[in-house]
Amino acid sequence: MEALLKIRNLRIAFGKGEERTEPVRDVSFAVPRGGRVAIVGESGCGKSLTSLAITRLPPVDSSETDGRISFNGAKRSFSGGASSPGLASLRGRGVSYVFQDPSGSLNPVMRIGAQIEEALPPDFPRRDKKRRTVELLARTGLPDPERAAASYPCNLSGGQCQRCSLAMALAAEPDLLIADEPTTALDVTTQRIVLNLIDELARENGTAVLLITHNLGLVAGRMDAVNVMYAGTIVESGPVETVLSAPRHPYTKGLLAAVPALDAPRGALLRDIPGTVPPPDAWPDGCAFHPRCPRAKPECAASAPPLTDCGGARCACFHPFTGGSGDAS
Amino acid sequence: MLLEVRGAKVAYRRGRKVFEAVRGVSFSLDKGQTLGIVGESGSGKSTLSKALALLLPFSGGSALYEGRDISAFTRAERARYRRSVQMVFQDATGSMNPRMKVRAALEEVLSVHRPELGRKERASRIAELLDSTGLASSVLEQYPRELSGGQCQRASFARALAAEPSVLIADEPVSALDVSVQARILNLVRDLRERLGISVILVSHDLAVVRNVCDNVCVMHAGLFEESGPAEEVFAHPRTEYTRSLLAAVPDVARALRARREEAAAREARP
């Protein structure tokens, strides 16, 4: 499949000298046209920064960013500030975002309808704007789209606001929709509705979806490919079925074991990943995951394992699980 | 029976308008039991838990604590009840005073509920609390905003435990947390019950979470319990459409992968 978005060796660094930190270091991945790709990891692993780098949104606009990006076949440069024409021109038409906190990403003093009108393509005929806005809201399944268009964000519930921000993201008819934890603040039922909606609308318009989440359960049902990120790098990537049914990296396995499963014996102790993601200025040498890894050996602290092919997926680990029965740890 | 709730109602009043968020629910909670209350946003589960913590008045029905009606409590009884029933909220950072270090937050609770403790005893009690919630002593000198979401939620558990409650009401304690941290908090909830014999009311919209830790479960919808019973029973044989839809909405990895394989097989079977 032709790649819509290709990112090679992305690095994002903040600060200078002693203060310098590099929260994203060497990230490469691709999103095929119309494809559904996920980036998974805990908070503080650099998932959101990676997604913001694609259009150089803050705070990435003030960072030192390096690497190669191509979108729709055209090469663009990460260097230059927020106003650099290369990536900024992708905002809206090329790439739209849906963020975790819908009420925070909507303007609180502007009616929903007016905000969506702003997002319509600039050449959109003025007299059709209102109709189109209501149409977009109706497509997100809001029961009373006219009323929603006339409402302020504070008049709507979290789930309703998230539908509105989805309508706004789709107003610009983007090639790529980036959904950054779009449902973390919503209850499971609304979560399912919003995700189904993203799925459905993306399919209808041929929009590619990049989903950013910490919940592998969401990835398993809907995405084609997954990139697992830890401490600023991708540690495992591949087709969802391959990666989730037989994870190779201990971090991926840890994330999977932490989700309560519906068919596990009741009261089964959940296996958490010991410790937390260290801040970027304290990322350990070698494999960044080794202090939290149950399989770590001395060489893991000495050098960082490269991302290599590993049974249908790619994995950066010196001691990956290989799928045999001896791996039951 | 530690807590027995019979036909409880809670209403919000706004001028002459009355909105009944909890429309008559009954359940009982034994010592050391864990009860899950599940439902969507707006089903009334948080309203019910606030009323149980005396943060809202009941507008009907009765709630008996150790056999005594809580609406007939004397002042002293109310104070004792408030100490025995502690609450933990979803937004841990928001529920802590931003201008108080964790040590001060814990000391405040101890000075109210355990005024007899001397300085040394108080320090050792704080060490105990940190230990049972798995926090390092370094967090004592930190403000809530300096803690991660998971640490902050543990600190609010430590604060609730400082009062030595017999009932802990946890309202969506993990829904704002990363999965790995979520696992740790759920294990903590289970540990509290096993080690300290505390009864827990866990309010959540995630059935997998409730199934993992609870003995009994009540499924709440529009202010009423649609069904309730032993967790195993309710999850294995949901009787109402609503419970089934909640179960279907759980993002379960194994189930999703199974569905994908079946779908792929069906595609291949077609010519």
Side-chain angles (χ1 to χ4, degrees):
Chain A
M1 227 186 297
E2 185 204 347
L4 170 72
L5 170 74
K6 242 197 219 157
I7 287 183
R8 288 280 164 272
N9 311 106
L10 171 67
R11 285 172 181 279
I12 301 174
F14 290 95
K16 289 208 163 62
E18 292 263 294
E19 305 263 281
R20 186 184 156 91
T21 58
E22 206 176 64
V24 174
R25 32 186 201 172
D26 200 13
V27 164
S28 303
F29 69 95
V31 180
R33 189 170 291 285
R36 300 174 300 166
V37 176
I39 301 182
V40 181
E42 291 164 280
S43 326
C45 282
K47 321 182 286 289
S48 293
L49 284 177
T50 301
S51 76
L52 295 172
I54 295 168
T55 56
R56 276 203 87 101
L57 283 177
V60 184
D61 56 338
S62 59
S63 71
E64 200 182 299
T65 310
D66 181 46
R68 282 174 297 151
I69 173 170
S70 76
F71 192 86
N72 251 337
K75 286 198 176 62
R76 288 158 204 267
S77 161
F78 276 120
S79 53
S83 51
S84 80
L87 298 178
S89 67
L90 291 183
R91 291 181 207 149
R93 237 14 232 278
V95 183
S96 290
Y97 290 82
V98 173
F99 294 103
Q100 172 173 354
D101 174 19
S103 49
S105 58
L106 294 169
N107 186 337
V109 294
M110 211 170 150
R111 290 179 199 276
I112 297 285
Q115 300 191 45
I116 296 179
E117 279 182 31
E118 271 192 343
L120 289 170
D123 53 354
F124 199 88
R126 201 164 164 183
R127 61 196 153 86
D128 292 342
K129 281 191 173 176
K130 216 165 221 130
R131 186 188 47 77
R132 177 73 179 141
T133 299
V134 173
E135 197 178 285
L136 282 164
L137 286 169
R139 279 180 66 195
T140 65
L142 279 168
D144 191 349
E146 275 96 12
R147 217 192 73 193
S151 310
Y152 289 98
C154 64
N155 302 129
L156 303 174
S157 73
Q160 288 171 330
C161 278
Q162 197 59 297
R163 286 169 198 243
C164 294
S165 62
L166 184 59
M168 188 167 18
L170 294 171
E173 295 162 21
D175 294 317
L176 176 64
L177 176 69
I178 298 179
D180 189 350
E181 302 274 10
T183 59
T184 307
L186 307 175
D187 71 55
V188 278
T189 323
T190 320
Q191 176 173 314
R192 185 164 70 153
I193 295 170
V194 169
L195 289 171
N196 283 347
L197 199 60
I198 291 178
D199 247 14
E200 210 176 284
L201 298 179
R203 261 177 227 269
E204 274 172 32
N205 305 335
T207 308
V209 178
L210 180 63
L211 175 73
I212 296 178
T213 179
H214 65 261
N215 191 341
L216 283 166
L218 304 184
V219 175
R222 322 180 170 265
M223 309 312 282
D224 305 323
V226 55
N227 298 286
V228 182
M229 239 180 127
Y230 186 76
T233 54
I234 290 176
V235 295
E236 182 162 8
S237 72
V240 165
E241 287 189 65
T242 318
V243 172
L244 296 192
S245 51
R248 282 131 188 99
H249 200 283
Y251 182 58
T252 314
K253 200 156 180 127
L255 285 178
L256 270 170
V259 186
L262 276 177
D263 54 2
R266 202 182 66 78
L269 206 63
L270 293 169
R271 251 178 289 149
D272 63 334
I273 307 171
T276 49
V277 184
D281 56 353
W283 281 346
D285 290 336
C287 171
F289 187 58
H290 84 263
R292 302 175 70 190
C293 182
R295 289 164 81 89
K297 303 260 169 23
E299 65 265 33
C300 300
S303 63
L307 197 62
T308 51
D309 287 328
C310 179
R314 290 167 72 75
C315 173
C317 180
F318 290 127
H319 308 285
F321 293 94
T322 50
S325 54
D327 284 344
S329 73
Chain B
M1 201 56 63
L2 191 60
L3 187 64
E4 205 163 353
V5 175
R6 290 286 161 254
K9 295 180 180 178
V10 187
Y12 291 103
R13 244 166 263 275
R14 195 162 150 200
R16 234 179 275 157
K17 270 195 214 153
V18 177
F19 173 71
E20 205 163 61
V22 178
R23 303 188 293 153
V25 298
S26 305
F27 66 90
S28 53
L29 182 69
D30 241 337
K31 193 171 157 22
Q33 253 189 355
T34 305
L35 174 76
I37 300 180
V38 295
E40 292 169 285
S41 325
S43 57
K45 38 192 211 314
S46 291
T47 302
L48 174 61
S49 44
K50 279 183 196 155
L52 289 171
L54 293 187
L55 298 173
L56 286 172
F58 283 109
S59 58
S62 64
L64 307 179
Y65 180 73
E66 291 178 334
R68 293 266 298 132
D69 191 337
I70 64 174
S71 54
F73 271 175
T74 62
R75 248 183 112 124
E77 280 175 322
R78 273 177 88 84
R80 200 177 67 88
Y81 179 81
R82 281 217 158 98
R83 173 180 159 184
S84 327
V85 179
Q86 289 287 318
M87 196 153 171
V88 171
F89 298 92
Q90 172 172 3
D91 178 10
T93 321
S95 71
M96 308 278 284
N97 185 335
R99 298 179 54 165
M100 263 172 140
K101 289 181 180 171
V102 174
R103 181 193 297 283
L106 296 178
E107 275 183 346
E108 189 182 44
V109 180
L110 289 178
S111 70
V112 172
H113 293 304
R114 299 285 303 276
E116 75 282 5
L117 291 185
R119 253 183 64 196
K120 259 203 187 136
E121 294 162 311
R122 198 180 281 182
S124 75
R125 178 73 186 127
I126 287 178
E128 253 173 61
L129 290 168
L130 291 185
D131 192 48
S132 58
T133 49
L135 282 166
S137 56
S138 57
V139 303
L140 288 176
E141 305 313 323
Q142 288 180 303
Y143 289 99
R145 60 162 190 278
E146 299 173 308
L147 303 176
S148 70
Q151 280 176 318
C152 212
Q153 193 56 285
R154 283 153 183 275
S156 59
F157 270 95
R159 186 179 54 175
L161 294 174
E164 293 166 40
S166 42
V167 180
L168 186 70
I169 304 175
D171 187 359
E172 301 276 10
V174 297
S175 48
L177 302 174
D178 264 353
V179 279
S180 53
V181 184
Q182 178 177 324
R184 222 169 300 161
I185 296 284
L186 292 177
N187 288 338
L188 169 65
V189 169
R190 196 177 358 231
D191 185 54
L192 293 179
R193 177 188 50 175
E194 280 163 15
R195 231 163 18 89
L196 306 174
I198 294 178
S199 309
V200 180
I201 297 179
L202 179 71
V203 178
S204 176
H205 64 254
D206 189 337
L207 273 73
V209 163
V210 167
R211 184 181 175 280
N212 185 267
V213 288
C214 296
D215 307 308
N216 292 310
V217 58
C218 302
V219 181
M220 199 163 180
H221 183 214
L224 293 169
F225 285 168
E226 286 239 335
E227 71 183 286
S228 54
E232 238 140 317
E233 185 58 35
V234 172
F235 288 116
H237 310 289
R239 278 174 308 174
T240 65
E241 203 42 54
Y242 182 68
T243 311
R244 272 192 286 272
S245 77
L246 282 180
L247 267 171
V250 174
D252 187 64
V253 176
R255 188 171 63 190
L257 289 177
R258 216 161 34 234
R260 283 180 93 114
R261 273 192 289 270
E262 278 161 17
E263 204 178 294
R267 254 201 315 275
E268 253 166 51
R270 275 198 296 271

